Amino acid sequence: MNKKQEQQILDYYSTTDKYIRSKTHSNAHQTVFTKESDKYQWLVLEQKSQCEVEVRQTDNHGTITARDNYELTRNLPKCVGVERLCEGANFQIPFNADEINLIYQFGEQSKEGTGKADDDCK
């Protein structure tokens, strides 16, 4: 993963509080970003292969709320798999490529709103 691809992914997850690279927790296989105001909110970019990256995002309690898989093609990271923690439950909701496109086209258009909008969690 090059720096441009990393920045594109990072920009997608950064909201009002920007993520800062953690030199302490990053290594050759994964890059860890934390929020300055919260030591539990992490964004981890883990290189699975030369063309695959898994992104994990945690909430302010350290619980993984999002797990996304990206395919690195040319200079553009392409999201190929999405899982969200179902609010009020203890399981991840997987989405296929068609569902991801529908969510981005018609849905909440945010990572947080995706899991909250799913009626199957009840």
Side-chain angles (χ1 to χ4, degrees), residues 79-83 93-104:
C79 187
V80 294
V82 172
E83 289 183 10
I93 305 167
F95 296 96
N96 65 35
D98 291 334
E99 291 169 331
I100 294 167
N101 290 333
L102 286 172
I103 289 167
Y104 291 148

Side-chain angles (χ1 to χ4, degrees), residues 17-65:
D17 295 329
K18 298 291 182 191
Y19 283 101
I20 303 164
R21 181 187 301 271
S22 171
K23 294 178 183 175
T24 307
H25 301 290
S26 298
N27 60 39
H29 303 289
Q30 66 181 17
T31 307
V32 177
F33 296 90
T34 59
K35 289 196 174 183
E36 187 176 43
S37 60
D38 190 338
K39 65 180 181 178
Y40 295 107
Q41 287 186 321
W42 285 24
L43 186 70
V44 179
L45 281 66
E46 183 177 353
Q47 191 87 35
K48 294 295 189 176
S49 72
Q50 186 157 346
C51 298
E52 296 177 73
V53 173
E54 179 182 89
V55 178
R56 293 182 303 278
Q57 186 176 32
T58 61
D59 64 11
N60 58 354
H61 301 291
T63 303
I64 296 173
T65 58

